Amino acid sequence: MKARTAVVCSVADQGVAALTNILVLVVAARLSTVSDFARFSGVYLVFTVLLGVFGAYTGQPLVLRRGAGEETRGACRTAVAFTLLVSAVLGGALAGVCALFAGDTARALMTLGLVLPVVLAQDTARYAFATLQAQHLALAADTLRLACVLGALTAQPHGASAARLVTVWGLSALPGLLLSVTLLHRRTAGRPVRLAPLLRRGHLGRRFVVEFGVGNATSQLSVLGLGVVGNPLVVGALRGATTLFGPLNVLFTSATGFGPPLLGRLATDRLRVRATAALATVLAATAAGWATVLALLPGSVGRHLLGDTWPTAAALLPATGSQYAAMAVGTCGLLALRLLDPRTTLSIQVVFSLAAVGFLAGGYWLGGVPGAAWGLCLGSVCKAVATWTRVARLNRRGGAARPPVSAAAVRSGP
C-alpha cells in the first residue's frame, strides 16, 4: 500500500473507531433513564480502562515491529489469539463474581464479562492490520462494526436496562470481529501462534501498561483529590474544560498507537525524528486552533454543550488550550522515543506524571482553579521539553544508521 493511502486509511479508521465510542454513549443516553445511563457509563468506563491495558500490553509493542516477514505475521496472529484467550478468562471471572451479587450494576458488569473477548479482540486486530501495513482492512472491519452497533442499539426500546444495552453493544461487534479474523487469517495463514514471548518478564507491554496506568491514574486521581480536600467545583471545571478537547485526545492516542508503522516506512532515524517533529508542529497548531474556536463560541452554545459548567470551563480555555498544545509536542516526543528506544519512555512518564500532580496542587494553592489548570499546563510543558531533550541525545548517539526496532528489542527488558 502506498504511504499516502496508508495515512488516509489510518486516519479514517481512527475517526470511525472514535465515532463509534462517542455514538454508543449518545444513543445509550437517549434510550436510558438517568440511573440506567449512569450504570451503563460506569460499565463502559471499566471497558475503556481494560481496552487501554490490552492496547498497551499487546498492541503498542506489536506496532513497533517493522516489515511484514513471517515473524511479524506470526506476532500479529499471536496478539489476537492472546487477547481472545486472556479476555475470555478475565471476562469469565468477572461474570462469575458479578453473578453472585444482586442489582442492575452487577448484571451489567456480568454482561460485560461475557462480551469482553469480542470487543477487545476487535481492537487488537486494528493494531495487527496497522503492523501489516493493511490499514484499509482495519477501516473496513471498523466501518462494519459501526454500522452494526448503531443499527442494533437504535432498535432498542426506550428505557432499556444497562445490562441489555451492554449485551446488544457487545454482540453487535461480532460481525466486525469475524471479518477482522477472516481477513487476518488470510494474511497470516500458516504462521504459528506463540504465546510464550507475550508472557516473558521482559516483554515491553509490561512497561507500557505501567506507563498507561501512571499517566491516567495520576491525572484522574489528583483532580479528584483536589475536589475532596479543596473545592469540589475544581473537578467539574477541569473535567468540563478537558471534555471540550476530547477530539484532540483521539488524535494523540492515534499518533502513539498507530504512528510507528507509518513512520517506520522512512529509511533512517533522522528522517523519522524530523517527521515526528513536523507532526508535533501540526498537532500543536491544531490544539491552538481548536482552543481559539472554543473561545469564540457564543455563551448559548457553550451552555448547550456543558450546561452550568460552561462559565467556569470557559475561563480555563487559555490554560487548557496551552496544555494541549504542549501535550501535542510531548506526545510526539514519546512517539519518537518509541521509535528510537522504547525502553526510555517509562522513566519520563513516571517522573513527569508525578511532577504534574505537584504542579497541579501548587497551582491550586497559589491561584485556585485557574492556577490548577496552569499547573497542569506547566507539567505538560516540562514533559515535552524532557522528551525532546532525550530524543536529541539518542539521535546524536545513533546517527542516521541505527537499525530498525527488532523483534528481540520488542521482547527484551531493560
Side-chain angles (χ1 to χ4, degrees):
M1 181 188 298
K2 295 182 179 180
R4 183 176 299 178
T5 303
V7 171
V8 171
C9 289
S10 182
V11 173
D13 181 52
Q14 304 318 310
V16 169
L19 183 63
T20 301
N21 292 332
I22 293 171
L23 291 181
V24 164
L25 291 172
V26 170
V27 174
R30 293 186 175 184
L31 292 175
S32 308
T33 63
V34 174
S35 58
D36 278 328
F37 181 66
R39 295 187 187 96
F40 181 85
S41 298
V43 172
Y44 204 79
L45 179 60
V46 173
F47 157 71
T48 302
V49 172
L50 292 174
L51 185 69
V53 170
F54 274 82
Y57 194 89
T58 60
Q60 292 181 24
L62 184 64
V63 296
L64 291 178
R65 294 174 176 268
R66 294 178 191 160
E70 289 192 7
E71 188 173 1
T72 297
R73 292 175 184 271
C76 292
R77 193 181 185 92
T78 297
V80 175
F82 177 85
T83 301
L84 281 170
L85 177 62
V86 175
S87 61
V89 173
L90 182 62
L94 177 63
V97 171
C98 291
L100 301 176
F101 298 90
D104 293 336
T105 301
R107 283 193 293 272
L109 285 171
M110 181 183 69
T111 304
L112 174 65
L114 297 176
V115 301
L116 201 58
V118 177
V119 292
L120 291 181
Q122 171 74 22
D123 191 69
T124 301
R126 296 173 59 227
Y127 286 97
F129 287 131
T131 304
L132 296 173
Q133 303 291 338
Q135 288 86 351
H136 61 293
L137 299 182
L139 176 60
D142 285 336
T143 301
L144 175 61
R145 179 187 179 185
L146 173 61
C148 293
V149 169
L150 284 184
L153 283 178
T154 53
Q156 302 307 304
H158 181 76
S161 67
R164 176 170 179 167
L165 292 178
V166 172
T167 302
V168 172
W169 160 72
L171 293 181
S172 62
L174 191 57
L177 175 61
L178 292 176
L179 178 60
S180 294
V181 170
T182 301
L183 295 174
L184 186 63
H185 175 72
R186 292 179 179 177
R187 290 280 180 132
T188 62
R191 275 61 179 184
V193 173
R194 296 174 179 170
L195 301 179
L198 289 171
L199 300 174
R200 289 174 183 167
R201 183 177 181 181
H203 178 57
L204 269 180
R206 297 191 178 193
R207 302 176 69 92
F208 295 162
V209 168
V210 174
E211 290 185 30
F212 171 79
V214 170
N216 284 267
T218 52
S219 61
Q220 301 295 335
L221 293 177
S222 59
V223 173
L224 291 175
L226 280 183
V228 172
V229 302
N231 186 350
L233 293 178
V234 69
V235 179
L238 291 176
R239 293 301 298 165
T242 54
T243 297
L244 295 172
F245 288 85
L248 294 179
N249 288 326
V250 175
L251 292 178
F252 296 164
T253 302
S254 300
T256 302
F258 299 91
L262 298 175
L263 293 171
R265 291 170 174 260
L266 301 176
T268 67
D269 279 345
R270 292 191 186 279
L271 291 176
R272 296 179 197 113
V273 170
R274 289 176 183 175
T276 309
L279 178 62
T281 302
V282 171
L283 289 180
T286 302
W290 184 247
T292 302
V293 170
L294 293 174
L296 296 177
L297 284 179
S300 58
V301 177
R303 287 186 177 84
H304 181 72
L305 292 172
L306 294 181
D308 293 337
T309 306
W310 169 252
T312 54
L316 303 181
L317 286 178
T320 307
S322 300
Q323 177 195 356
Y324 270 80
M327 286 172 61
V329 178
T331 297
C332 291
L334 290 173
L335 173 58
L337 288 177
R338 289 278 177 91
L339 295 169
L340 296 172
D341 186 353
R343 295 169 296 176
T344 60
T345 56
L346 178 58
S347 59
I348 290 178
Q349 289 278 50
V350 172
V351 170
F352 287 96
S353 293
L354 296 176
V357 175
F359 291 138
L360 171 69
Y364 179 74
W365 181 68
L366 292 173
V369 176
W374 282 111
L376 289 174
C377 176
L378 179 59
S380 296
V381 169
C382 292
K383 185 175 180 179
V385 171
T387 54
W388 281 101
T389 300
R390 182 71 64 87
V391 168
R393 289 176 181 173
L394 289 176
N395 204 33
R396 283 198 301 269
R397 290 177 189 174
R402 185 187 290 108
V405 176
S406 65
V410 172
R411 293 192 299 265
S412 64

